[in-house]
Amino acid sequence: MFKKNLFKGFLMMAIASLLLSACSSGDKGSKGTEKGEDGKDKVQLTLWLTPQWEGVLDASEEGANHDSFFKHAAERFSEEYDEYDVDVKVEVVASDQRDELLNVNLNGGTPPDIFYESVFAMGEYAHRGALVPLDDAIDEDAKSDIGEAYWDNVTFGDEVYFYPFSHMPGTLSYNADMFKAAGLEEYIGDEDGIQTWTLDEYNTILETLKTDLPKDEYTNAFPMSLYALNDQGDTWNLAYLRMFGNEFFDEDGNIILDDANGAKAAEWLKHIYDEGLTNPGAESVSSNDTIAMFQNQQLAINFTNSVLFNNMKADMESGQVPEFDARLANIPSESGDPLTFTYVTGSAVFDSGDETKIKVAKDFVKFYSSDEELVKSSKNGVPVRSSVAEQYADENPLFAAFDENAEYVFSFTGNVPGYSQLRQVLYPELQALYTGEKTPEEVVKSYQEKGNVIIQESKEDSVIFNK
């Protein structure tokens, strides 16, 4: 009886094995990959993004949502891609949940294949070795159409880890009505341009605003904003510290602020603060506070970026904030060459360990980042491509101005590891500067020492610095 049951068991296993083999040969590729109806191997990708813009090309489209563009791009890619039968699952994640979700999935070995986000927010993942380089997905057409400054922002070490799509440039904004009231008409730039002042001109502007701005018309108003309450808006403070020629980072990614030029910049900040050329109490004022002050015409000059500026203009049109003539200007420098920076937004490909999925993910990123029609959607931010900026110059004249301004863009993070921690070191030093607790020389020395400890410790865990 035992032998008979054993034989029957073996027979059932053999039949099941044959059936499984037959099914596999009909539905799987040669390497066990599932086949689609068209006979191509199936590949499923996941693409995550934080909320960016709604619609494919415009938020006015019916059913426009934050995932519309990528779903449309995925549909086109699936139809036009020859090598595989590709299905892309698009998911929108909240910005404040991004890192938690990524870390959980990375620890579980299930990262998304693609993430569309600001490089500023995602740079640490390149240092962690979670991303793959994209150099082989970038052709000469892209390199010539997208300015060098944007490539600098997405290059870690010697390799590109993000494919640039759009960006959010940072500049100053000034109240041209307040300038006119103070007799500063000659310093007002074009409405659709970005004005550049020399540092001497800028100092004259600040001093004139202090003395000649009508007090009865603009009560409790100040020439320029300064803030150091927290790490928000740190990028403009970093630009001010470069105003006298300090390059901030050396070629090895170390902070080099502690020199005569760095100290001079800190001394200038302290000087304009002590002379009443800025709002008082900078050590306890946040960047959000100064936005409100500028909108209420209590500041003649404040920081801004393309999104903040557009939102303010929209609020003026809707009557939510008082209407005035707001225009853009670069951050001045002693050399005369202006300073500006930007937040580049683009796509990163995670290292899933699956060579096929990585290849297809790169192909998909290249597809929607270079397709002639799809790249038009970058107008929902500010296009990194000169061709798109030119194409939509009539719709948004500032696109051309930002494109021309690209030659002055610097990488404010230096793409160094540990940048998020560096932000926590900067503002206490600025607070000490404004309260007089430290001299300008002590501030730049202290920041450099503390910052380089963070960078050195972070370098030890960075695959970029340990190849």
Side-chain angles (χ1 to χ4, degrees), residues 174-191 197 205 208-209 212-214 217-218 297 300-301 324-327:
Y174 63 100
N175 186 324
D177 293 334
M178 295 176 79
F179 273 48
K180 292 173 186 175
L184 291 166
E185 287 89 349
E186 65 181 294
Y187 299 105
I188 297 174
D190 187 79
E191 185 177 357
W197 302 304
I205 289 168
T208 305
L209 285 167
D212 295 355
L213 190 66
E217 187 175 355
Y218 297 99
Q297 303 188 69
I301 303 169
F324 59 90
D325 186 357
R327 305 190 186 193

Side-chain angles (χ1 to χ4, degrees), residues 126-158:
H127 286 289
R128 287 170 56 177
L131 309 179
V132 298
L134 301 180
D135 299 77
D136 55 348
I138 297 161
D139 55 30
E140 290 303 318
D141 287 341
K143 290 179 181 178
S144 62
D145 198 19
I146 299 173
E148 184 179 352
Y150 306 125
W151 293 116
D152 289 343
N153 271 263
V154 300
T155 300
F156 291 70
D158 298 323

Side-chain angles (χ1 to χ4, degrees), residues 122-129 155-157 249-255 413-423 447 450-466:
M122 298 288 289
E124 286 299 319
Y125 294 98
H127 286 289
R128 287 170 56 177
T155 300
F156 291 70
F249 296 108
D250 64 18
E251 60 183 12
D252 297 317
N254 301 308
I255 296 172
T413 69
N415 289 341
V416 300
Y419 178 77
S420 60
Q421 295 168 269
L422 293 181
R423 301 180 73 196
Y447 176 75
K450 294 174 182 177
N452 280 337
V453 169
I454 291 171
I455 291 173
Q456 189 56 46
E457 290 176 351
S458 300
K459 280 181 179 179
E460 294 174 4
D461 298 322
S462 168
V463 301
I464 306 297
F465 284 90
N466 292 283

Side-chain angles (χ1 to χ4, degrees), residues 233-248:
D234 61 309
T235 36
W236 285 265
N237 286 323
L238 292 174
Y240 300 147
L241 291 171
R242 288 171 163 86
M243 288 175 63
F244 289 83
N246 184 278
E247 295 185 0
F248 214 88

Side-chain angles (χ1 to χ4, degrees), residues 193-311:
I194 304 170
Q195 178 71 346
T196 293
W197 302 304
T198 67
L199 187 55
D200 286 341
E201 288 175 334
Y202 192 60
N203 287 328
T204 297
I205 289 168
L206 295 180
E207 291 163 3
T208 305
L209 285 167
K210 179 187 176 183
T211 58
D212 295 355
L213 190 66
K215 302 295 188 290
D216 56 340
E217 187 175 355
Y218 297 99
T219 57
N220 197 33
F222 305 94
M224 172 187 168
S225 67
L226 280 183
Y227 49 86
L229 178 65
N230 52 36
D231 64 358
Q232 300 300 297
D234 61 309
T235 36
W236 285 265
N237 286 323
L238 292 174
Y240 300 147
L241 291 171
R242 288 171 163 86
M243 288 175 63
F244 289 83
N246 184 278
E247 295 185 0
F248 214 88
F249 296 108
D250 64 18
E251 60 183 12
D252 297 317
N254 301 308
I255 296 172
I256 52 171
L257 185 62
D258 183 19
D259 67 6
N261 290 331
K264 215 171 174 182
E267 184 179 349
W268 181 83
L269 287 171
K270 176 65 171 168
H271 169 75
I272 63 170
Y273 179 69
D274 289 345
E275 292 298 311
L277 302 176
T278 74
N279 54 276
E283 67 277 4
S284 57
V285 170
S286 72
S287 58
N288 283 338
D289 293 333
T290 67
I291 291 173
M293 293 175 69
F294 182 71
Q295 291 178 347
N296 291 323
Q297 303 188 69
Q298 293 176 306
L299 287 168
I301 303 169
N302 191 36
F303 78 96
T304 195
N305 60 45
S306 55
V307 172
L308 290 172
F309 190 72
N310 290 337
N311 288 345

